[in-house]
Amino acid sequence: MNVPPGHFLALAAILFSIGVLGVLLRRNIIIILMSVELMLNAVNLTWAAAGRALGDMDAQIFIFFSLTVAAAEVAVGLALVVAIYRSLGRTDVDDINLLHG
């Protein structure tokens, strides 16, 4: 079964849109981090579809580096969430400005 690249790109666009909506509409930091990860994975799916359509294996290198950046983002983001939760007792985005004083 051969799936055309347009289907992969449409799925990536839907996943990216869901991620953008999650970042814009949610106030919980963990949900926002998961939405950013969803957007990064949508970009990875786009790279994979383009690489498959063009018959080029170089897209896998970009996917590898994108996954590396995503892993680093998760590590730093979760460390920040733990620090915010320890100091405030909640993980609401609106309360982060209380930390600067």
Side-chain angles (χ1 to χ4, degrees):
M1 183 169 148
N2 193 7
V3 180
H7 289 106
F8 290 116
L9 295 177
L11 177 62
I14 291 168
L15 290 175
F16 194 85
S17 300
I18 292 171
V20 169
L21 287 175
V23 168
L24 294 177
L25 298 178
R26 298 294 181 178
R27 300 217 182 265
N28 190 346
I29 297 173
I30 295 174
I31 300 294
I32 291 173
L33 286 175
M34 286 192 308
S35 297
V36 170
E37 289 297 319
L38 190 63
M39 289 189 292
L40 285 172
N41 285 325
V43 172
N44 287 338
L45 182 60
T46 303
W47 278 114
R52 182 176 177 207
L54 297 174
D56 192 13
M57 299 300 285
D58 291 340
Q60 291 181 1
I61 296 170
F62 289 109
I63 293 170
F64 176 74
F65 285 120
S66 176
L67 288 175
T68 305
V69 169
E73 180 254 334
V74 166
V76 171
L78 287 178
L80 288 172
V81 168
V82 168
I84 291 169
Y85 185 77
R86 283 186 180 173
S87 69
L88 297 178
R90 54 191 180 273
T91 58
D92 195 13
V93 175
D94 294 333
D95 297 332
I96 293 176
N97 63 356
L98 300 174
L99 295 174
H100 72 278

